[in-house]
Structure formats: C-alpha cells, structure tokens
Amino acid sequence: MRPALHTAGRLALAAGLVALGVDLARAADAPPPSPAALYEQHCVACHGAQRLGGMGPALLPQSLERLKPAEAQRVIAQGRAATQMPAFAEKLSGTEIQALAQWIYAPVSPAPSWSEADIRASRTETPQAKELPNKPQWKADPMNLFVVVEGGDHHVSLVDGDRFEVIHRFASRFALHGGPKFSPDGRFVYFGSRDGWITKYDLWNLQVVAEVRAGLNMRNVAVSGDGRWVMAANYLPHTLALFDANLNLVKSYAAATLDGKASSRVSAVYDAAPRKSFVVALKDIAELWEISYDPKAEPIFDGYVHDYKMGEGIATPGTFGVRRTRLDEPLDDFFFDQSYRYALGATRPKEKAAAPAASAASDAGAAPVPTAQVVNLDIRKKVAELPIAGMPHLGSGITFAWQGTTVLASPNLQGGAIDVIDMKSWKPLRSIATPGPGFFMRSHEATPYAWTDSMMSPGAKDTLTLIDKRTLQVAAQIREPGRTLAHTEFTKDGRYALVSVWEMDGALIVFDATTLKEVKRLPMSKPVGKYNVWNKITRSEGTSH
Ligand code: DHE
C-alpha cells in the first residue's frame, strides 16, 4: 500500500515540481555545455586535468593516434569492457558524445610538459623491495619462464615454459607496448606503456618493485647489458630519459639537433650490449645516436659536431655523451646485426605508417620508396642501402646462417612477403611470398623454421607461414580459421612454439615445433606478445632484442 502524502508534503512536492518546471525551462534556454565543461564534469577524475591520464589513459592527440574517432565515440557511449571506463550513453546526448569525442583529439593548450621534476615526482617504490628473497618463490625453471602481455584487459601472465601453466597473472599499466626488457639474471622485467610508465617487476617475488612515468607518450625502453641502466624513448615530450636500475632519474636528453633548432620524437632505443651503449633513432631528425654506458668510454672528438660548429670542434664526454651519426633520412625502426657493428634502419613513408587497425588500407598502397639504410656504428656512416621496398618492420627481423653467409629476414608491413638479405653484400637474396602482410617473425637456433604471420591482411590474418631456413621456401602453414594468429616465441630449447590467438577471447597455443601439432591451449585476453626469459637474456638470434 502506498503511504498517503500529508498536506505539507503535497505542498512541498508541488513547490518542487514548479521549481523543477522553471529549471527545465531555463535548461531548455541555456546553451549546451561545451565539450570542455563536459570533460570537466565527467572525465577529469580519471583522465586528469590536462588529459595526461590518471586512473584512465592519457587523452592527448599523440596518445589517440591509433584510435579512430568513431571508436572513441563508441567507447564514450558504451564504455570499455574489462576496464574502469563506464558507459555515458545514459548521461550524455548523442551530440554531446560526438562533441566530446572530437574535442579530445584537439591539442591541449597550453601544451603539456613533463619535466625532470615531474619524472622524479611520479616515481614510487615498494617498501622493503630490496629485502625480498633472491630466488624464485615458485617451482618452475626461471629461465624458461614466459612473460605474456595480454592487451585485451591489460594484464600480464607468467607462464611456466615446461608445463605450460600460468604461474601468476597481474594487472599491468594501460597499453603496454614493445618488448618488456629483462635484467641480465632474469629476475626483473621492465615494462613500458604507451602513456610513458615504466614498471619494474620482480618475477621471483611476483611483485612490482618500482614505477616511474618517463614521458607522456613513450615508444619503448631498453635495459643495459650490465643491468645498471634503463633508457626510455619518448614521442612526447621530445626526450630520452636515463634511469638507474631502480628507476631513479639520472639524466634526460632533449632529442634535438646540436644547435637546438629542431627537436624530434624518439623512434626507439635499443641496448647494444657488446658495445656497452644505447643506440637511438630519431623520427624527425636524420641522426642516429649512440650513448655509451661504458664507465671507461673515452671522450669523443665528434666529426659531426665539428661540422655543425663550423670548425670549432667539440669533445663530448665518453660516458653518457651523445655520438651523432648523420643519415640521409630519419629512422622509424631499426635492428642490429649479430656483431652489433651495423644498425639496419627503415623509414616508413608517413602516410603509409600503419598499425594492424589500419591494415586493410595499407594492402593496396602506392609504389613504395626504398628507404632502408645500413649504418656502420664504428665509422658512423651509412654504408649501404637495403633493397627492401615498402615498409620493412626491421624491429621484428631475425638473422640466421644460410649457405655460408648470415642473412636477415624481415616482415614487411606493406607487402605480403618476407625479404631475405645477405648481410655481407647487403644484396637481396629472396622475396618469399606469404598470403598477406604481417608484423612479426620469430625463430630459434634449434628449429629449421622461421614463423611469420599475415595479421595485417583481412583475408589471411588467420594464417601463420613457416619458412624453411635451409631452403628459403615456405614449408608449412598453420590456420585458425577466422581468427588472428600472430607473434610466436619459442621455449628455451626451441622445442615448442607459443603463438597468440590475437582476439579478446583469445588464447596462447603451444605447438610442437617439429610435428607442428597443437600441444596445449591457454585462454588469454588478446595476448599481444610473449617473451621467454632465456631467449631474451641470451639474445637468441631468433627473437627481438
Ligand atoms: Fe609495435 C615492438 C613500433 C604498432 C605490438 N613496435 C615495437 C618496437 C617498436 C614498435 C619500435 C620495438 C620496441 C621494443 O621491443 O623495445 N609499433 C611500432 C610502430 O611504429 C607501430 C607500427 C605504430 C605505432 O602506433 O606505434 C606499432 N605494435 C603496434 C601495434 O599496433 C601492435 C601490433 C599492437 C599494440 O599492442 O600496440 C604492436 N610492437 C608490438 C609488440 C612488440 C612491438 C608486441 C614487441 C615485439 C617483440 O617480440 O619484441
């Protein structure tokens, strides 16, 4: 039974309705809230006042480059599954959602900055992390452990590479990108997120040890061969940041020409352990940098600096000084030969730079410009042009011995082929056709096959192609009809290949690398990449470094 309203209550309700009526009338007259006001009201708590991110990811134009505006609208309206992002379709009108989605692609004004003080202030450390036991607190071979990055719900799984069981699963920062990097003993792993966070994780004690935000939009991180230094490459701001192994900032570098007149996004940084240095590619300046972490590095008399200073000459300090090599074109992506004397880099024509989301468009691109370069790091000079057309994805290339020479095999983001290059003559040996363009290529010293995907081809994304490294012919294909198959990594002994079913309701499939039979399947949420501790710390020729 409904309780009867007494007179005072009825009067109050009537007054309330009148007031509401007035408010509604006023609201109808009032101008609609601006997107900035909507952001302030609904988004600021999670995405931050300057859109730099917080609990939610950064919403800067640079961070949103890979998200189509229509998808942004959908996420605002419907939320994002398996994250804290709620649906706003009930709270905001279609027009408001559209305006908000458009607005977040506009630059923030004033332009956001991320200073050394910001980096230092962002750092956190787990108390007592240094007292944790120096041996694994779980039973499995720590050298045959796989770190699997699950992009679907932003988690990481640790998989025992002998039993193929998940030892532990934990939440990661939003949108990790690139290969996580390991300390030389395999105990710690460093993850880099697109929003600039570096997380140092203790694999033996299953906990985060320290975190720091190196930049606002980051490409990747590298760990020095001696485990003492971590370097981060940023798109925003235009900087490189150098940390000690506990993520205390040591130094930041402006990614700029020596005269400071032009600055650049940093494409990538890699460790060149035999040279005791980090090698850095810049996206907007035609220079390749080498930064030595050898404590005994001699000061450099730099011919290039000399050119710039018109005859004055400058000696840069050896350790942590920048050696600049002048190039014909800036580099997006690069790779080393096994001796680390040569860096093999590629420039991707801007309009064609594509990620899987934009894959279909890249299939039918216009005539490509050959832009891959071979740089001799000792004499700091480009020594050859690589005859690779299209968009070689050199960061995913591998090397192996073939008929008395060493070859480089690299997938191409544009064409459905694997390019094989002789690393003595830098001449093309073979172009091996695959059913469509792919992203990753992997092998192992103990297997005759190199495994590559066609994940960028809508018609062939479900097919892995195995190339026989002895004959440079296609040896087999593996299909998972209608699903995306990509990114292979081998166990420590090369007997098993772990492959991603790259879907939200995806899986990790374990194949016997000889019989090619499926051995096991572990459900995973879009497993984007997997990394075997042993193969990484020993720099196996079949995997990325
Ligand atoms: Fe990556 C590695 C650049 C898009 C997944 N990617 C790398 C590295 C570079 C790079 C320079 C090497 C970093 C390292 O390991 O230290 N990636 C680029 C691009 O320029 C590109 C095409 C455009 C972009 O927006 O950045 C791009 N990459 C993607 C994706 O769309 C992928 C497929 C999905 C995603 O999660 O972003 C993707 N990239 C990966 C993965 C690796 C990677 C899984 C590590 C591969 C490995 O085995 O080491």
Side-chain angles (χ1 to χ4, degrees), residues 300-532:
I300 316 153
F301 178 77
D302 192 317
Y304 174 48
V305 174
H306 186 89
D307 280 357
Y308 246 66
K309 287 284 180 180
M310 297 194 304
E312 279 169 44
I314 283 180
T316 54
T319 313
F320 299 135
V322 179
R323 282 169 174 254
R324 296 162 191 255
T325 298
R326 188 178 0 208
L327 304 174
D328 292 346
E329 286 177 280
L331 299 180
D332 282 288
D333 195 8
F334 68 103
F335 169 84
F336 298 106
D337 72 327
Q338 287 292 89
S339 75
Y340 284 76
R341 179 174 303 140
Y342 297 102
L344 286 58
T347 309
R348 298 192 201 126
K350 218 177 198 166
E351 63 281 10
K352 294 191 206 121
S359 61
S362 69
D363 281 2
V369 191
T371 47
Q373 314 174 43
V374 183
V375 180
N376 181 322
L377 292 167
D378 290 337
I379 58 169
R380 268 179 290 149
K381 249 175 115 164
K382 176 180 136 183
V383 290
E385 221 158 72
L386 277 185
I388 306 181
M391 289 166 55
H393 195 230
L394 290 173
S396 274
I398 58 166
T399 58
F400 54 91
W402 183 79
Q403 297 191 358
T405 187
T406 304
V407 299
L408 153 75
S410 164
N412 203 306
L413 300 179
Q414 204 168 39
I418 297 297
D419 303 293
V420 184
I421 313 284
D422 181 340
M423 294 180 78
K424 275 192 195 133
S425 64
W426 304 118
K427 296 267 184 298
L429 285 170
R430 205 69 62 85
S431 176
I432 307 165
T434 62
F439 222 83
F440 304 106
M441 180 151 202
R442 285 287 175 273
S443 190
H444 188 282
E445 289 81 349
T447 174
Y449 306 126
W451 297 45
T452 191
D453 61 84
S454 288
M455 69 176 291
M456 296 180 69
S457 163
K461 61 181 186 156
D462 58 3
T463 305
L464 282 185
T465 301
L466 276 59
I467 292 162
D468 192 319
K469 292 189 284 185
R470 298 158 298 193
T471 59
L472 303 186
Q473 307 277 355
V474 172
Q477 283 183 329
I478 293 178
R479 284 194 69 218
E480 181 77 3
R483 317 274 277 168
T484 302
L485 272 189
H487 199 276
T488 306
E489 180 61 285
F490 290 83
T491 46
K492 178 177 143 187
D493 58 8
R495 284 185 60 198
Y496 297 97
L498 278 63
V499 175
S500 294
V501 179
W502 192 296
E503 309 282 349
M504 292 304 276
D505 60 342
L508 198 67
I509 312 182
V510 183
F511 291 100
D512 181 310
T514 309
T515 63
L516 309 185
K517 294 232 165 70
E518 181 174 328
V519 173
K520 193 154 181 187
R521 186 176 285 240
L522 301 171
M524 298 243 168
S525 174
K526 202 176 182 195
V528 292
K530 63 210 69 62
Y531 309 90
N532 178 274

Side-chain angles (χ1 to χ4, degrees), residues 66 176-181 194 219-221 235 267-270 283 332-333 348 354-357 393 395-396 413 439-440 442 455 487 502 528-531 536 543-545:
R66 307 171 66 249
L176 300 183
H177 178 233
K181 302 293 154 63
R194 288 201 184 252
R219 297 297 287 168
N220 76 328
V221 294
Y235 262 11
S267 303
V269 55
Y270 294 107
K283 199 166 171 86
D332 282 288
D333 195 8
R348 298 192 201 126
H393 195 230
S396 274
L413 300 179
F439 222 83
F440 304 106
R442 285 287 175 273
M455 69 176 291
H487 199 276
W502 192 296
V528 292
K530 63 210 69 62
Y531 309 90
K536 290 291 167 193
T543 192
S544 60
H545 298 172

